[in-house]
Amino acid sequence: MREITYRQAINEALHEEMERDESVFILGESVCREQWDTHRGLVQRFGRARIRDTAISEAAIVGAAVGAALAGYRPIADIMFSDFLFCAADETLNQAATHRFSNGGKTKVPMVIKTAIGGYSSSGPMHSQCPEGFLWHRPGLRIALPSAPYDAKGLLKTAIRDNNPVVFLFHKLLLDVRGEVPEDEYVVPLGSADIKREGADVTVVATSYMVRMALDVANQLTRYGVSTEVVDVRTLEPLDLDTIVESVDKTGRVVVVDEDVSRCGVTAEIALRIMEAVSRPLLAPVKRVAAADLPIPAGHLERRVLPKPQDIADAIGTLMNIDGRLVVEGFSEKPGFSVG
Amino acid sequence: MDTRLKQRNGLDVAVSKSATIRPTGPQLVRLYTNMVRVRRLDEFLVDAYYSGRLAGPFFHSQQGQEAIGAGACTFLRPDDYVWYTHRGHGVCEAICKGLPMRAFVAEHFGKATGSCNGIGFINTCAPELGMFGMGGTVGGESTLAAGTALAAQFRGKGQAVLCFLGDGAMGEGSVHTALLMSANWNLPVVWLCSNNGMSMWVPVEAAYPKENVADLAFGYDIPSTIEDGQDVAAVYSAVHTAVERARSGQGPSFIEFKTCRYRPQVEGVADYCLDGLRDPVEVKRWKQRDPIDLCARRLLEEKILTREDLDRIDEEALAEVQDAERFAAESPLPDPSLLDTALYAS
Ligand SMILES: Cc1ncc(C[n+]2csc(CCOP(=O)(O)OP(=O)(O)O)c2C)c(N)n1
Ligand SMILES: [Mg+2]
């Protein structure tokens, strides 16, 4: 099968859905070009009315998207860095997330918030965050956070067609990652986790960039005779708990990995849901790997705050009750970007 | 002293034209010197970005806009508050307000001796100079600026607040709320909008219904003026007229500066404009009115300085940058214990 990058996968999904449905349009800051280069060819094909540059106002971008969605369109609100989504907290959390419910289920808000997440680039606390825990806390938002090109394309297409606000979180460090993507039309349903690697001893449940990190660790651990299964949640809302629990029931051990902070975070929530749902007792208490409960520092201390491959290996070593350390190599997809 | 800012429709009625506050000869020399220092430092940081020496993945050069920060900040009181933007990461405002270059470069190298102890990078923090830093959200500090102005008003010691904004920042709702608050409460703040014609890759004419950003201040009844952002003496006159208004309890002012950023939005990325590139001819045209050249010409014409003086200023600026570089290179990385102490105050 052909291989394309995660960036191209996002781009193809946008081209295809804008072609398929005239009510889809994009609004955001400098979106003709787009910070992450995911909009290539869109403005030439669909024009500046549908690829719409806005003033620098996240509140206006998300709020106008909610309004246009209510009035029958399918806007994609482009927020350059997910950190800036907090500038549109009211529009996202109070309006988009609750609109339908507070109107007794009579309205719908079919929109996408497409935004870049992730650290590992020493950009400091306002250009590095992963907001999935914060967003998941709010009932009413769907959340997709793909780790591979195939998932990025399939999930974005589904997100655009969904009748609810979907936050599509793409990771900056995944943009140049290549993977198999069919030429033919396909979609990935929301709420379907994916077993990215099969294994027998331990399950790692991970999100986004952490899936790649976990896969790399899993491959390295084979030399210690540890067989690791990696489950990619792909979407947090809805969460495919069945696939996760099935894996944990098989292995009896689980590490949950997410790049957001641990406190009140994605790892906490998933870990607890697993414990509530497993059909046989775990062989060891759940382990979590997540960012320290700190803002993300710029500079050399960033690496002490964000999850590392060795953290995942250490968690697995503890679960497996292995004497001595499971030493793994560092791993980083080259950041290789300059940001606005 | 005329501290009124007149209603105006264009550059020809800029308040600086009739201002009674004007830089003296020695003051002009200091303004010039600061512009040169900032330009040399900015050039160094651009180079450092490309040679991979910066602690983070970006630098937003402010080359071309030196007259604004220099004219505004060089002669402030130490206890005046200054809020800067991502443009230059505050290099111009901070250096002209009195931050040593060493602290600025060390922070950009991620060193413990930096102005944020090596974990702030684009942040430049010097509370002793009335500078509390800049987080990274465009316009994000404007309401904070209003808050410092409120504190200054409470304190009643004649402190002024300067809040720099890009033209693009005027899109953020919080900026407008801050303007409104400053008008309602008659706060001692000067809003300084550096209109460089671009908000990221969108030209100002595509982002605003009107030509002049300063027109937005009319609605809040905040006196405003439009100034030549390349003329450091004009900047000085306009800002200090507004600062006097603030100090004497006459409330907020809004100044728009027409200017140009010479370099791309951010280093390492082409100089985009919409779906193409920014017209290089346009930038070239602006460079003919380079703020440093303009000031040098005036200093020579008025026989305030000689060619040799200008050369010496340049050499000293370069030496200062080299010293800062050496200092930063030799400084230690921050100690991880900083992570335990930086979050909460005791
Ligand atoms: C809240 C927020 N939105 C978007 C950005 C990304 N961004 C950084 S600089 C910039 C352009 C700012 O334009 P302007 O205010 O005119 O300042 P200039 O860059 O021209 O100095 C943008 C959109 C940001 N940093 N913060
Ligand atoms: Mg601008």
Side-chain angles (χ1 to χ4, degrees):
Chain A
M1 202 191 294
R2 72 172 180 151
E3 287 199 350
I4 60 172
T5 63
Y6 186 90
R7 173 186 280 111
Q8 286 170 313
I10 293 171
N11 182 257
E12 280 190 3
L14 294 171
H15 271 280
E16 289 173 20
E17 293 307 299
M18 291 194 70
E19 184 65 48
R20 180 178 171 272
D21 182 349
E22 280 192 357
S23 71
V24 178
F25 72 97
I26 300 177
L27 73 169
E29 295 156 18
S30 294
V31 290
C32 278
R33 176 73 58 176
E34 206 271 299
Q35 165 83 24
W36 308 105
D37 199 15
T38 62
H39 289 182
R40 205 164 272 204
L42 289 176
V43 75
Q44 291 77 4
R45 184 164 171 192
F46 301 108
R48 281 182 61 196
R50 286 178 73 195
I51 311 296
R52 192 166 268 270
D53 281 322
T54 65
I56 303 176
S57 173
E58 291 70 22
I61 294 164
V62 177
V66 175
L70 287 169
Y73 282 78
R74 289 186 176 272
I76 299 171
D78 188 278
I79 304 291
M80 208 175 284
F81 285 80
S82 66
D83 314 66
F84 308 156
L85 191 54
F86 296 125
C87 299
D90 181 45
E91 291 74 9
T92 305
L93 303 175
N94 289 332
Q95 298 287 7
T98 70
H99 199 280
R100 176 179 168 80
F101 185 84
S102 51
N103 286 294
K106 285 166 75 176
T107 57
K108 63 178 183 184
V109 186
M111 63 178 276
V112 173
I113 297 173
K114 165 179 169 279
T115 188
I117 63 171
Y120 301 96
S121 61
S122 182
S123 304
M126 294 196 207
H127 291 84
S128 307
Q129 296 171 81
C130 285
E132 56 266 21
F134 200 92
L135 296 169
W136 201 18
H137 191 73
R138 193 64 168 174
L141 299 173
R142 297 205 187 285
I143 302 160
L145 61 176
S147 73
Y150 178 90
D151 302 329
K153 181 171 178 183
L155 286 171
L156 182 52
K157 286 169 73 84
T158 313
I160 294 168
R161 296 181 198 182
D162 197 87
N163 282 331
N164 296 286
V166 183
V167 188
F168 180 84
L169 305 171
F170 61 97
H171 200 291
K172 295 160 219 166
L173 263 58
L174 293 173
L175 285 165
D176 292 321
V177 167
R178 301 182 73 82
E180 290 191 345
V181 175
E183 311 237 11
D184 293 340
E185 160 85 19
Y186 71 95
V187 293
V188 173
L190 305 179
S192 63
D194 187 37
I195 312 267
K196 284 282 191 292
R197 183 187 199 279
E198 293 195 9
D201 298 328
V202 58
T203 299
V204 177
V205 179
T207 59
S208 190
Y209 181 54
M210 295 298 102
V211 173
R212 281 189 74 76
M213 192 182 276
L215 286 170
D216 189 65
V217 170
N219 291 337
Q220 294 191 51
L221 290 187
T222 54
R223 70 167 184 268
Y224 291 98
V226 177
S227 167
T228 309
E229 180 144 308
V230 177
V231 183
D232 178 357
V233 303
R234 294 205 291 197
T235 64
L236 288 169
E237 188 63 47
L239 181 72
D240 177 7
L241 192 61
D242 291 348
T243 300
I244 295 169
V245 168
E246 204 176 300
S247 170
V248 179
D249 275 337
K250 181 178 76 176
T251 62
R253 301 179 184 91
V254 61
V255 186
V256 189
V257 192
D258 179 56
E259 195 183 319
D260 196 358
V261 297
S262 62
R263 180 168 60 199
C264 305
V266 164
T267 55
E269 180 66 25
I270 293 179
L272 193 76
R273 290 206 198 179
I274 290 170
M275 288 189 279
E276 288 171 338
V278 281
S279 51
R280 66 168 174 124
L282 294 171
L283 300 173
V286 179
K287 289 296 247 180
R288 299 197 277 151
V289 174
D293 292 331
L294 289 170
I296 300 167
H300 304 272
L301 295 182
E302 182 193 52
R303 66 193 64 163
R304 293 191 174 253
V305 169
L306 296 179
K308 308 183 277 303
Q310 190 59 53
D311 299 337
I312 301 175
D314 287 346
I316 292 174
T318 307
L319 287 178
M320 303 280 300
N321 214 358
I322 289 172
D323 290 334
R325 211 163 187 207
L326 302 176
V327 178
V328 293
E329 303 277 298
F331 154 85
S332 75
E333 236 89 65
K334 218 177 112 334
F337 65 84
S338 192
V339 296
Chain B
M1 172 181 312
D2 178 12
T3 55
R4 274 175 310 126
L5 295 185
K6 300 194 181 74
Q7 295 271 316
R8 46 84 220 115
N9 299 307
L11 262 176
D12 52 344
V13 286
V15 69
S16 58
K17 299 267 181 227
S18 59
T20 49
I21 305 176
R22 288 170 186 279
T24 61
Q27 282 180 320
L28 203 59
V29 173
R30 262 193 75 195
L31 293 172
Y32 175 80
T33 306
N34 273 348
M35 288 196 291
V36 173
R37 292 170 68 222
V38 170
R39 174 72 59 87
R40 293 292 169 249
L41 182 52
D42 187 304
E43 287 168 348
F44 166 75
L45 291 161
V46 169
D47 286 348
Y49 166 81
Y50 288 105
S51 57
R53 298 179 75 191
L54 295 189
F58 42 78
F59 184 65
H60 303 81
S61 168
Q62 56 77 61
Q63 285 173 39
Q65 304 187 191
E66 289 86 353
I68 302 167
C73 298
T74 301
F75 294 105
L76 291 177
R77 283 170 28 181
D79 64 345
D80 288 330
Y81 297 110
V82 172
W83 296 91
Y84 65 93
T85 78
H86 63 287
R87 183 66 41 219
H89 303 175
V91 64
C92 193
E93 297 81 356
I95 298 301
C96 295
K97 187 100 204 294
L99 186 81
M101 275 193 198
R102 286 180 165 198
F104 196 90
V105 176
E107 190 56 47
H108 275 70
F109 281 17
K111 296 302 184 74
T113 51
S115 79
C116 296
N117 300 326
I119 59 171
F121 183 48
I122 56 172
N123 233 343
T124 301
C125 185
E128 68 283 5
L129 295 171
M131 298 187 74
F132 295 113
M134 190 273 310
T137 51
V138 165
E141 276 84 26
S142 50
T143 47
L144 280 63
T148 49
L150 180 60
Q153 191 179 56
F154 278 142
R155 204 172 283 131
K157 297 267 163 51
Q159 291 165 285
V161 177
L162 266 56
C163 182
F164 290 84
L165 300 162
D167 48 290
M170 298 305 295
E172 290 285 5
S174 63
V175 174
H176 289 267
T177 313
L179 288 174
L180 183 61
M181 183 182 269
S182 72
N184 273 341
W185 293 346
N186 207 40
L187 297 176
V189 53
V190 187
W191 305 103
L192 306 163
C193 181
S194 304
N195 181 354
N196 58 13
M198 296 294 293
S199 33
M200 194 154 165
W201 302 326
V202 177
V204 71
E205 55 271 21
Y208 287 100
K210 304 181 98 174
E211 188 190 343
N212 298 318
V213 178
D215 290 354
L216 294 169
F218 283 174
Y220 306 111
D221 208 17
I222 297 177
S224 59
T225 174
I226 298 178
E227 300 289 340
D228 177 1
Q230 308 311 96
D231 177 355
V232 72
V235 174
Y236 172 92
S237 292
V239 172
H240 282 274
T241 303
V243 164
E244 285 312 315
R245 278 177 45 81
R247 296 205 198 291
S248 58
Q250 296 177 66
S253 316
F254 187 103
I255 309 178
E256 174 181 358
F257 297 104
K258 304 288 190 190
T259 186
C260 173
R261 65 163 156 77
Y262 289 170
R263 302 192 58 84
Q265 150 74 5
V266 64
E267 295 305 320
V269 178
D271 195 2
Y272 292 130
C273 178
L274 297 174
D275 54 335
L277 292 172
R278 190 156 63 127
D279 182 3
V281 178
E282 176 76 356
V283 179
K284 237 192 201 146
R285 196 173 58 77
W286 275 95
K287 283 186 176 172
Q288 287 164 4
R289 298 195 66 254
D290 180 78
I292 295 175
D293 291 348
L294 283 184
C295 189
R297 225 174 293 156
R298 179 165 163 198
L299 289 167
L300 293 175
E301 272 167 21
E302 298 185 10
K303 299 206 175 357
I304 301 171
L305 292 182
T306 64
R307 274 254 161 250
E308 293 70 49
D309 294 330
L310 299 183
D311 290 346
R312 185 180 36 77
I313 288 170
D314 203 41
E315 279 158 26
E316 284 172 5
L318 277 171
E320 193 183 357
V321 172
Q322 281 161 8
D323 167 75
E325 175 188 9
R326 207 173 317 113
F327 172 81
E330 288 167 2
S331 290
L333 292 172
D335 189 89
S337 64
L338 183 59
L339 297 176
D340 302 327
T341 56
L343 190 58
Y344 296 108
S346 55

